[in-house]
Amino acid sequence: MSDFTADNGPAKGDAKSSLFHETTRTKRRNAAETRFKAYGIAAIATGLFFLVALLVAILGNGLPAFKQTFVTIPVELTEAKLDKNGNRDPADLAKVSTFGYKPVVTAALVSALKAEGIEIPFAKEEDVEDILSSSVAAQVRDTVLANPDLIGETVDFRLLASSRVDGYFKGRVTRDALVRDKNLDAEHLDIADAMVAAGLMKTTFNADFIFGSDASESRPEQAGIGVSMVGSLFMMIVVLALALPIGVAASIYLEEFAPQNKWTDLIEVNISNLAAVPSIVFGILGLAVFIQIAHLPQSAPLVGGLVLTLMTLPTIIISTRASLKAVPPSIRDAALGVGASKMQSVFHHVLPLAMPGILTGTIIGLAQALGETAPLLLIGMVGFIASNMPDGITSGFLDPNSAMPAQIYEWAKRADPAYYERAWGGIIILLVFLMTMNIIAVLLRRRFERRW
Amino acid sequence: MSFVKLTASAIAIAAVSATAASARDQVQVAGSSTVLPYASIVAEAFGENFDFPTPVVESGGSSAGLKRFCEGVGENTIDVANASRKIKDKEIAACAEAGVTDIIEVRIGYDGIVFASQLDGPAFTAFEPADIFNALGAKVLKDGELIDNTYTQWSEFNADLPAADIMAFIPGTKHGTREVFEEKVLIAGCEATGAMEAMIASGMSEDDAEDACMSVRTDGKSVDIDGDYTETLASIDANPNGIGVFGLAFYENNTDKLKTATMSGVEATTETIASGDYPVSRPLFFYVKKAHIGVIPGLKEYAEFFISDDMAGPDGPLAEYGLVSDPELASTQAAIEAEDTMQ
């Protein structure tokens, strides 16, 4: 007791605790609060800093992928080379391979350069062809096969420039670096500069990057994300068609009808556990069950969709149950009170009120599935796969295809640095999709959510 | 109820798939990530020039590819396995057990393995297999005695090399490249330094000595890279003193960041690899399931197109990308034409 008074002695000398005078204790408490606020602001600032750094890196690295250098030259489609028999028979025309078309395009480039008075400093004039992408022969061949009447005429073609020339105009390739590069010489860049001056070469927006198909390692300039975007779309259709009805049915039963016993407890615990299972595990499961036992085709978006369905289900079930729980019991009681059956009360009253929450959860689950790569690694959706645009609904589900994140992963692995740029560009497109989906989810919630 | 419709259509899709699964019309390929670039170039050109759809090429490593290849015969197994090494007897046996008995082996050409470092890093310009072994071997010969590797700098065992810390990024054991690295560099270096002799003298059998030669130090100076060459490149980017093991084609695409060292005094180029002067090279293969020829449309055409002179010849797009063309291409072409299987 004496200690107590001794301790409080000096405090008594101070002014009494009042709102106008801060005591040391109040000061300390206020200081602690200020510090805590500062920590919070620091945490948010750190988060914002990383977000900005990430966005700057993504945009800085990825935006160049949306532009591409094109060469526009007239190509003389010589009959002697492309149709030796002169009968325009499609079977004969198809026998001339892309290797037969290559010299035709190279000759066109050489004559276009000569017509503009651009000097070719190579011993062999054909060496200038390194300026062009190796895809040009196929492009010209496809045009001729589609329209054989063009043979014998001179047609203007807009051709892709090679990835290194393209990189030069985007600042990725420098003359110094080319000294040790055997794919292109500094002289090619001199010609490229002259071609830009003469209006033969131009760097413009590249729609093929968004809508095109994957290309092989030797032609990054031709690669696009379009086919894998379609692959992702078909997978999302499968996920939506399976995960939404199964997930909603399961949660309605668990939330509204199921008796409270050990079994339902066990199921509930396991659904929560399932939501935390790493996605690669679902990939292994998918490989074993869908491909090796059920004999579904490899690399098919159908299988990818099934695997992602397994992954998305817990997310949908958990969010659906949460939104069902949020509907006040008075609604159910009122419905039952006026004589509705249990099922009528659920489907006529509870479910419509819970719908915005369910849809939000579904969209977020879909967005999560859209960005998933790991399970797709195991079911053969990563590699040089997204090369054919599916030609129908069945082929869209069953023919080998990739998905957007898998395509980005694949590009990031490839040797040519031009593919690295494409990977960043792909990230931009994927982020646009994810942000759109999240914005839709937010809008749905804002527009329809009711609070009691 | 729209749910009911959705579920019904989903079941319908699954039912269609079950029947359609038996109608695959494109060739499926998987395997070595070293062969993947070449296979993708061929697949793309194949799709352009033939009426068949573009084949699908997956990567994953030689061993993983051969394992999937040996899962059995049928349309939901792959048709072609790419490999950066020869198929092993063990794998042939596993194949046979699953019913894959007739395998056609196709050698597409050669690939060089280079030792590269940062362009502006220490002057690693010339290596001997002995240098690599001294730097990375688990047990090395020092002052006539076989001891655990304690070297920390390259200059400690070869005064011509820079005084830089030892740091090497070598392919992990699932890569076919590792095997070539062990055989043509580590064992060669082991023999050259006399460590092999010392091991045998100490009572080891020849096989045990070879195994001991192939084991690398585990104190963190040698790092196994299980991913692709891009991962090795990233590691080199972060370590100025790092030495990485790359395929020649990968190096040629990244000459703005990397420089190579000569091996035994020979620079790695397609010419020196073709002539056999550059010591660290290996053949690349793909394996075709004969049972699938005639079932999967375009399979034989793909195999023939792969090693046609237009593609795999010395002036073809594969050579342009970095493949060292096989001088005996004609006999391989004849073997595919006749569908000769392995014995």
Side-chain angles (χ1 to χ4, degrees), chain A residues 94 96-99 102 129-130 134-135 138 141-142 145 164 172 177 180-183 214-219 222 237-238 240-242 244-246 248 291-292 294-299 302 347 351 355 377-385 387-388 394 397-400 409-410 412-417, chain B residues 1 3 6-7 9-11 13-14 16-18 20-21 24-26 28 33 36-45 48-50 53-60 68 71 76-78 119 228-230 233 249-260 270 305 308 310-311 316-317 319-322:
Chain A
V96 182
S97 70
T98 48
F99 301 103
K102 206 172 176 192
E129 75 183 6
D130 289 346
S134 54
S135 68
R141 182 174 182 266
D142 287 346
L145 291 190
R164 279 179 172 73
R172 196 180 61 235
R180 307 177 61 248
D181 195 327
K182 71 169 186 123
N183 293 296
D214 192 14
S216 74
E217 303 251 356
S218 62
R219 11 175 132 152
Q222 199 198 354
I237 293 177
V238 175
L240 190 66
L242 291 177
L244 186 61
I246 296 176
V248 170
I291 293 180
Q292 286 168 353
H295 289 287
L296 290 176
Q298 296 199 18
S299 315
L302 174 75
F347 281 96
L351 197 57
M355 217 44 173
L377 284 172
L378 289 159
I379 52 169
M381 295 185 82
V382 179
F384 176 64
I385 296 177
S387 46
N388 302 309
T394 330
F397 282 115
L398 295 173
D399 280 359
Y409 170 69
E410 174 64 26
K413 284 197 314 181
R414 290 188 185 168
D416 196 320
Chain B
M1 285 255 112
F3 287 163
L6 280 173
T7 323
S9 52
I11 292 167
I13 290 162
V16 169
S17 74
R24 178 149 69 84
D25 57 359
Q26 68 282 91
Q28 284 204 324
S33 43
L36 173 74
Y38 305 115
S40 74
I41 291 170
V42 174
E44 185 172 62
E48 282 166 2
N49 283 311
F50 289 80
T54 308
V56 168
V57 191
E58 295 167 47
S59 60
R68 278 177 63 186
E71 265 166 14
N76 73 332
T77 59
I78 58 171
L119 193 54
D228 292 85
Y229 291 136
T230 35
L233 180 64
F250 187 91
Y251 161 70
E252 285 185 340
N253 266 302
N254 289 281
T255 47
D256 55 334
K257 296 191 197 84
L258 296 172
K259 64 172 188 295
T260 56
T270 38
F305 184 65
S308 64
D310 278 342
M311 289 310 293
E320 214 167 274
Y321 188 79

Side-chain angles (χ1 to χ4, degrees), chain A residues 236 239 274-277 279 282 308 311-316 361-375 405 430 434 437-438:
Chain A
M236 288 309 112
V239 175
L274 218 52
V277 169
S279 53
F282 291 107
L308 293 179
M311 214 195 76
T312 320
L313 257 180
T315 316
I316 293 186
T362 309
I363 291 171
I364 287 172
L366 279 184
Q368 197 188 342
L370 183 68
E372 198 57 66
T373 323
L430 185 62
L434 295 179
M437 289 171 84
N438 282 329

Side-chain angles (χ1 to χ4, degrees), chain A residues 1 11 26 45 47 52 65 77-78 81 92-93 101 115 131 146 197 205 299 330 338 348 379:
Chain A
M1 206 56 186
T26 320
V52 169
L77 302 170
T78 21
K81 282 197 176 141
D92 279 356
L93 288 180
Y101 277 78
I131 287 182
F205 177 70
S299 315
S330 56
V338 294
H348 294 175
I379 52 169

Side-chain angles (χ1 to χ4, degrees), chain A residues 40 82 198 239 282 306 431:
Chain A
L82 306 184
V239 175
F282 291 107
L306 289 172
L431 279 185

Side-chain angles (χ1 to χ4, degrees), chain A residues 71-375:
Chain A
V71 177
T72 312
I73 48 167
V75 178
E76 190 191 351
L77 302 170
T78 21
E79 182 166 16
K81 282 197 176 141
L82 306 184
D83 188 13
K84 286 192 185 102
N85 303 334
N87 56 8
R88 304 285 188 274
D89 178 11
D92 279 356
L93 288 180
K95 272 188 195 140
V96 182
S97 70
T98 48
F99 301 103
Y101 277 78
K102 206 172 176 192
V104 174
V105 185
T106 308
L109 178 64
V110 169
S111 60
L113 290 177
K114 282 186 178 156
E116 289 289 340
I118 300 170
E119 201 190 332
I120 302 173
F122 299 111
K124 269 170 40 193
E125 281 181 341
E126 296 85 62
D127 283 348
V128 79
E129 75 183 6
D130 289 346
I131 287 182
L132 294 175
S133 158
S134 54
S135 68
V136 295
Q139 188 193 341
V140 173
R141 182 174 182 266
D142 287 346
T143 314
V144 169
L145 291 190
N147 191 356
D149 294 338
L150 292 176
I151 293 178
E153 288 177 31
T154 301
V155 185
D156 271 354
F157 276 94
R158 184 163 169 264
L159 306 167
L160 283 163
S162 78
S163 69
R164 279 179 172 73
V165 171
D166 181 51
Y168 168 62
F169 289 112
K170 290 172 181 171
R172 196 180 61 235
V173 173
T174 59
R175 277 163 204 270
D176 300 342
L178 285 186
V179 177
R180 307 177 61 248
D181 195 327
K182 71 169 186 123
N183 293 296
L184 200 72
D185 299 324
E187 284 82 7
H188 286 114
L189 297 184
D190 296 336
I191 298 177
D193 280 335
M195 287 174 79
V196 171
L200 293 179
M201 195 184 270
K202 221 176 166 183
T203 307
T204 54
F205 177 70
N206 181 22
D208 280 345
F209 175 62
I210 303 172
F211 302 109
S213 60
D214 192 14
S216 74
E217 303 251 356
S218 62
R219 11 175 132 152
E221 60 276 359
Q222 199 198 354
I225 203 167
V227 175
S228 43
M229 212 188 282
V230 174
S232 277
L233 175 77
F234 277 103
M235 292 202 309
M236 288 309 112
I237 293 177
V238 175
V239 175
L240 190 66
L242 291 177
L244 186 61
I246 296 176
V248 170
S251 4
I252 291 180
Y253 179 76
L254 282 177
E255 197 58 40
E256 305 285 340
F257 296 96
Q260 282 296 317
N261 59 23
K262 269 188 201 160
W263 290 111
T264 45
D265 282 351
L266 189 73
I267 289 171
E268 276 170 29
V269 167
N270 278 311
I271 287 173
S272 310
N273 282 343
L274 218 52
V277 169
S279 53
I280 189 86
V281 175
F282 291 107
I284 297 176
L285 185 75
L287 176 68
V289 175
F290 298 125
I291 293 180
Q292 286 168 353
I293 296 177
H295 289 287
L296 290 176
Q298 296 199 18
S299 315
L302 174 75
V303 179
L306 289 172
V307 170
L308 293 179
T309 302
L310 296 180
M311 214 195 76
T312 320
L313 257 180
T315 316
I316 293 186
I317 294 182
I318 289 170
S319 69
T320 305
R321 293 192 58 188
S323 45
L324 286 175
K325 250 190 214 130
V327 176
S330 56
I331 305 269
R332 293 183 187 82
D333 294 342
L336 294 176
V338 294
S341 72
K342 181 85 184 161
M343 195 173 144
Q344 280 173 328
S345 87
V346 168
F347 281 96
H348 294 175
H349 303 279
V350 179
L351 197 57
L353 289 171
M355 217 44 173
I358 296 174
L359 288 181
T360 310
T362 309
I363 291 171
I364 287 172
L366 279 184
Q368 197 188 342
L370 183 68
E372 198 57 66
T373 323

Side-chain angles (χ1 to χ4, degrees), chain B residues 3 14 21 30 60 68 91 101 127 146 200 219 224-225:
Chain B
F3 287 163
R68 278 177 63 186
E91 285 162 339
T101 45
F127 283 128
L146 207 56
I200 294 174
D219 55 359
D224 278 17
I225 301 281

Side-chain angles (χ1 to χ4, degrees), chain A residues 1-10 12:
Chain A
M1 206 56 186
S2 61
D3 284 350
F4 178 69
T5 44
D7 264 3
N8 266 9
K12 247 178 204 165

